[in-house]
Amino acid sequence: MADGQGDDRIVEGYWDIVALTAELGAARSRWRQAQRHHAEYGAEGFPSRDNLTKIMQSLCGALFPLRLGPSFVRLHNEDAYVAETLQTVLSRLYGQIRLELIYALKDEPAEAVDREAARIIAAFAQSLPALRVLLDTDVDAAFLGDPAARSVDEVLICYPSMLAIIHHRLAHRLHRLGAPLVARIMSEIAHGKTGIDIHPGATIGQSFFIDHGTGVVIGETAIVGDRVRLYQGVTLGARSFPADDKGALEKALPRHPIIEDDVVVYAGATVLGRIIVGSRSVIGGNVWLTDSVPADSNVRQAKAHYEVTSRVEVSAPHRVHAMLESTDGVGENI
């Protein structure tokens, strides 16, 4: 065989494909039987992450055709592109929502599933113009809040936080309308691309800006006001997870922070529990906050005691000696 060529020959005798298939099928059956008491979705169909990735890309293009749409879109044809794109993408999204509802409404007739899916997609479609206006405030907030931003186009095209926020605005609307699984998949698509994890259940006001963004986590029941700015590594999380008498975690209870208007939370801060951070407050970097603070608070870490030493002396004394022994004051072997 020539170098660089793969060996595609089927090797027989090292495994029993019939037995392997049967054993894997038995393992799946045991798992599904064990999970049947809280299973929501089955084998007949399931919302597809790959399909929803394409749907989200098309929705982003329909919302911002000249910047996030395909390269052929220009001013003279953007309305035609938006109309054609929405006609296709909303139909595909309807199909994904219907797959979710088949199991969420498994005891209802097919007609009821179709009606509910139609209600959700109609309300979602009607909300797109308002969502575009809301997203414009987020783009403006990033441009005004970041001295490195040279244009709103740069913000829209380059900032990972904008991708995460667009996904969240769309996913949150679907979450509120009654398609939480499709919404969660949409959010996780952005999470995988940006490292920003925003649960679609979180409520976020206008003019929201995440600077840099990697590692930001915003929990399901968090409420974020208007003109809030977060930096990388910020967590708006839960402090505890109450359980019922059988030990199962209770779902959807308010357990994440409320961040009021005009708050800034700097890098690495962790804000936990159903606490309130009052308007116009500033939460410093790496702060661990589990108690409410009133409006106009400034929360910082206590100053650490530190001593300035010569890094060269500490890490490389031989280099210091070489410098001192040099006749011209500059060591020849540094």
Side-chain angles (χ1 to χ4, degrees):
M1 179 179 296
D3 291 343
Q5 294 181 346
D7 189 350
D8 294 331
R9 294 173 297 178
I10 298 176
V11 181
E12 298 178 354
Y14 291 98
W15 56 78
D16 184 339
I17 197 66
V18 174
L20 280 173
T21 302
E23 290 171 12
L24 286 170
R28 292 194 303 271
S29 296
R30 288 193 298 271
W31 169 258
R32 289 168 183 163
Q33 186 62 35
Q35 303 299 318
R36 191 174 299 277
H37 64 287
H38 59 74
E40 295 182 270
Y41 309 102
E44 296 179 16
F46 200 80
S48 164
R49 182 168 179 141
D50 287 342
N51 288 341
L52 284 167
T53 298
K54 296 172 184 176
I55 287 169
M56 289 303 295
Q57 184 175 0
S58 295
L59 284 172
C60 289
L63 287 169
F64 297 95
L66 293 179
R67 295 296 173 262
L68 302 183
S71 59
F72 65 80
V73 180
R74 296 291 185 271
L75 281 173
H76 71 273
N77 65 358
E78 66 174 340
D79 284 342
Y81 163 75
V82 170
E84 182 179 352
T85 299
L86 287 180
Q87 188 66 33
T88 301
V89 76
L90 291 173
S91 297
R92 292 175 177 170
L93 182 56
Y94 167 84
Q96 297 299 305
I97 293 169
R98 189 177 182 279
L99 286 175
E100 175 176 353
L101 294 178
I102 286 173
Y103 299 99
L105 304 175
K106 58 181 178 294
D107 296 327
E108 299 291 331
E111 294 79 5
V113 171
D114 291 338
R115 284 195 303 271
E116 181 64 4
R119 180 194 67 80
I120 292 174
I121 198 64
F124 177 77
Q126 291 168 7
S127 70
L128 289 176
L131 287 175
R132 164 62 204 244
V133 173
L134 183 58
L135 286 165
D136 286 344
T137 71
D138 301 322
V139 175
D140 283 340
F143 176 66
L144 296 172
D146 186 359
R150 294 176 295 180
S151 69
V152 291
D153 292 328
E154 180 182 354
V155 167
L156 191 58
I157 295 170
C158 301
Y159 282 40
S161 61
M162 276 312 306
L163 179 65
I165 292 169
I166 292 171
H167 277 62
H168 173 74
R169 299 292 192 197
L170 295 168
H172 180 68
R173 181 64 177 146
L174 284 173
H175 190 274
R176 294 288 298 271
L177 288 170
L181 177 62
V182 168
R184 187 65 187 271
I185 295 171
M186 287 179 169
S187 293
E188 289 304 318
I189 291 167
H191 181 197
K193 291 181 177 181
T194 67
I196 298 170
D197 183 1
I198 309 176
H199 193 284
T203 300
I204 299 176
Q206 65 181 2
S207 301
F208 181 54
F209 176 36
I210 304 176
D211 201 350
H212 302 293
T214 304
V216 166
V217 177
I218 302 176
E220 176 188 14
T221 63
I223 299 174
V224 177
D226 296 338
R227 300 172 300 280
V228 168
R229 180 168 21 137
L230 309 181
Y231 284 79
Q232 68 272 19
V234 166
T235 297
L236 306 182
R239 185 177 180 182
S240 60
F241 303 94
D244 60 22
D245 54 0
K246 295 182 180 179
L249 295 182
E250 296 185 16
K251 305 291 185 178
L253 294 177
R255 60 194 183 279
H256 299 98
I258 298 172
I259 310 298
E260 295 187 339
D261 298 345
D262 301 294
V263 168
V264 179
V265 186
Y266 281 101
T270 300
V271 185
L272 299 182
R274 195 58 163 187
I275 64 174
I276 299 174
V277 177
S279 299
R280 302 174 300 281
S281 293
V282 176
I283 309 302
N286 296 316
V287 163
W288 182 277
L289 185 64
T290 58
D291 296 305
S292 295
V293 296
D296 301 298
S297 296
N298 193 334
V299 182
R300 295 176 293 179
Q301 289 193 92
K303 289 186 177 180
H305 174 73
Y306 62 90
E307 181 180 355
V308 177
T309 60
S310 169
R311 186 179 176 201
V312 178
E313 291 183 19
V314 171
S315 62
H318 64 285
R319 298 179 69 184
V320 177
H321 295 316
M323 290 180 66
L324 295 175
E325 293 171 0
S326 173
T327 58
D328 60 0
V330 179
E332 297 178 355
N333 298 315
I334 292 178

